[in-house]
Coordinates of all heavy atoms in Angstrom, one line a residue:
L340 N 121.2 229.5 198.4 CA 121.1 229.4 196.9 C 121.2 230.8 196.3 O 121.9 231.0 195.3 CB 119.8 228.8 196.5 CG 119.5 228.6 195.0 CD1 120.6 227.7 194.4 CD2 118.1 228.0 194.8
R341 N 120.6 231.8 197.0 CA 120.7 233.2 196.4 C 122.2 233.7 196.5 O 122.6 234.4 195.5 CB 119.8 234.1 197.3 CG 118.3 233.9 197.1 CD 117.5 235.2 197.5 NE 117.8 235.5 198.9 CZ 117.1 235.0 200.0 NH1 116.2 234.1 199.8 NH2 117.4 235.4 201.2
R342 N 122.9 233.3 197.5 CA 124.3 233.7 197.5 C 125.1 233.0 196.4 O 125.9 233.7 195.8 CB 124.9 233.3 198.9 CG 124.4 234.2 200.0 CD 124.8 233.7 201.4 NE 124.4 234.7 202.4 CZ 124.4 234.5 203.7 NH1 124.8 233.3 204.2 NH2 124.0 235.4 204.6
A343 N 124.9 231.7 196.2 CA 125.5 231.0 195.1 C 125.2 231.7 193.7 O 126.0 231.8 192.9 CB 125.2 229.6 195.1
Q344 N 123.9 232.0 193.6 CA 123.5 232.6 192.3 C 124.1 234.0 192.1 O 124.5 234.4 191.0 CB 121.9 232.7 192.3 CG 121.2 231.4 192.2 CD 119.7 231.5 192.4 OE1 119.3 232.4 193.1 NE2 119.0 230.6 191.8
A345 N 124.3 234.7 193.2 CA 125.0 236.0 193.1 C 126.4 235.9 192.6 O 126.9 236.7 191.8 CB 124.9 236.7 194.4
V346 N 127.1 234.9 193.1 CA 128.5 234.6 192.7 C 128.5 234.2 191.2 O 129.3 234.7 190.5 CB 129.1 233.5 193.6 CG1 130.4 233.0 193.0 CG2 129.3 234.1 195.0
V347 N 127.6 233.3 190.8 CA 127.6 232.9 189.4 C 127.3 234.1 188.5 O 128.0 234.2 187.5 CB 126.5 231.8 189.2 CG1 126.3 231.6 187.7 CG2 127.0 230.5 189.9
A348 N 126.4 234.9 188.9 CA 126.1 236.1 188.1 C 127.3 237.0 187.9 O 127.6 237.6 186.9 CB 124.9 236.9 188.7
Y349 N 128.0 237.2 189.0 CA 129.2 238.1 189.0 C 130.3 237.5 188.1 O 130.9 238.2 187.4 CB 129.7 238.4 190.4 CG 130.7 239.5 190.5 CD1 130.2 240.8 190.7 CD2 132.0 239.3 190.3 CE1 131.1 241.9 190.7 CE2 132.9 240.4 190.4 CZ 132.4 241.7 190.6 OH 133.3 242.7 190.6
L350 N 130.5 236.2 188.3 CA 131.6 235.6 187.5 C 131.2 235.6 186.0 O 132.1 235.9 185.1 CB 131.7 234.1 187.9 CG 132.4 233.9 189.3 CD1 132.4 232.4 189.6 CD2 133.8 234.4 189.3
S351 N 129.9 235.5 185.7 CA 129.5 235.6 184.3 C 129.7 237.0 183.8 O 130.1 237.1 182.6 CB 128.0 235.2 184.2 OG 127.8 233.9 184.6
A352 N 129.5 238.0 184.6 CA 129.7 239.4 184.2 C 131.2 239.7 184.0 O 131.5 240.6 183.3 CB 129.1 240.3 185.2
Q353 N 132.0 238.8 184.5 CA 133.5 239.0 184.4 C 134.0 238.2 183.2 O 135.2 238.0 183.0 CB 134.2 238.5 185.7 CG 133.9 239.4 186.9 CD 134.4 240.8 186.7 OE1 135.6 241.1 186.4 NE2 133.5 241.8 186.9
G354 N 133.1 237.7 182.4 CA 133.6 237.0 181.1 C 133.7 235.5 181.2 O 134.2 234.9 180.3
V355 N 133.2 234.9 182.3 CA 133.2 233.4 182.4 C 131.8 232.9 181.8 O 130.8 233.4 182.2 CB 133.3 233.0 183.8 CG1 133.2 231.4 183.9 CG2 134.6 233.5 184.4
S356 N 131.9 232.0 180.9 CA 130.7 231.5 180.2 C 129.8 230.8 181.3 O 130.2 230.0 182.1 CB 131.1 230.4 179.2 OG 129.9 229.7 178.7
R357 N 128.5 231.2 181.2 CA 127.6 230.6 182.1 C 127.5 229.1 182.0 O 127.2 228.4 182.9 CB 126.2 231.2 181.9 CG 125.1 230.7 182.8 CD 125.4 231.1 184.3 NE 124.4 230.6 185.2 CZ 124.4 229.3 185.7 NH1 125.3 228.5 185.3 NH2 123.4 228.9 186.5
A358 N 127.8 228.6 180.8 CA 127.7 227.2 180.5 C 128.8 226.4 181.3 O 128.7 225.2 181.5 CB 127.9 226.9 179.0
R359 N 129.9 227.1 181.7 CA 130.9 226.5 182.5 C 130.7 226.5 184.0 O 131.5 226.0 184.8 CB 132.3 227.1 182.2 CG 132.7 227.0 180.7 CD 134.0 227.7 180.5 NE 135.0 227.3 181.4 CZ 136.0 228.1 181.8 NH1 136.0 229.3 181.5 NH2 136.9 227.6 182.7
L360 N 129.6 227.2 184.4 CA 129.3 227.3 185.8 C 128.1 226.4 186.1 O 127.0 226.8 185.7 CB 129.0 228.8 186.2 CG 130.2 229.7 186.0 CD1 129.7 231.2 186.1 CD2 131.3 229.5 187.0
E361 N 128.3 225.3 186.7 CA 127.2 224.3 186.8 C 126.2 224.8 187.8 O 126.4 225.8 188.5 CB 127.8 223.0 187.3 CG 128.7 222.3 186.3 CD 128.9 220.8 186.7 OE1 129.8 220.6 187.5 OE2 128.2 220.0 186.3
A362 N 125.0 224.1 187.8 CA 123.9 224.5 188.6 C 124.4 224.7 190.1 O 125.1 223.8 190.6 CB 122.9 223.4 188.6
V363 N 124.1 225.8 190.6 CA 124.6 226.2 191.9 C 123.9 225.3 193.0 O 122.8 224.8 192.8 CB 124.4 227.7 192.3 CG1 125.3 228.5 191.4 CG2 123.0 228.1 192.0
V364 N 124.6 225.1 194.1 CA 124.1 224.2 195.1 C 124.0 224.9 196.4 O 125.0 225.7 196.7 CB 125.0 222.9 195.3 CG1 124.5 222.0 196.4 CG2 125.0 222.2 194.0
S365 N 123.0 224.7 197.2 CA 122.9 225.4 198.5 C 122.9 224.3 199.6 O 122.1 223.4 199.6 CB 121.7 226.2 198.7 OG 121.5 226.7 200.0
F366 N 123.9 224.4 200.6 CA 123.9 223.5 201.7 C 123.2 224.2 202.9 O 123.1 223.6 204.0 CB 125.3 223.1 202.1 CG 125.9 222.1 201.1 CD1 126.9 222.5 200.3 CD2 125.5 220.8 201.2 CE1 127.5 221.6 199.4 CE2 126.0 219.9 200.3 CZ 127.0 220.3 199.4
G367 N 122.7 225.4 202.7 CA 122.1 226.1 203.8 C 123.0 226.2 205.1 O 124.1 226.6 205.0
K368 N 122.4 225.7 206.2 CA 123.1 225.8 207.4 C 123.7 224.4 207.8 O 124.1 224.2 209.0 CB 122.3 226.3 208.5 CG 121.0 225.5 208.9 CD 120.3 226.2 210.0 CE 119.1 225.3 210.5 NZ 118.4 225.9 211.6

Side-chain angles (χ1 to χ4, degrees):
L340 183 59
R341 291 199 303 273
R342 288 172 174 169
Q344 289 171 336
V346 167
V347 167
Y349 195 88
L350 291 174
S351 297
Q353 295 297 307
V355 178
S356 169
R357 181 63 182 83
R359 296 177 55 211
L360 300 168
E361 290 193 278
V363 291
V364 177
S365 173
F366 286 108
K368 64 179 185 179

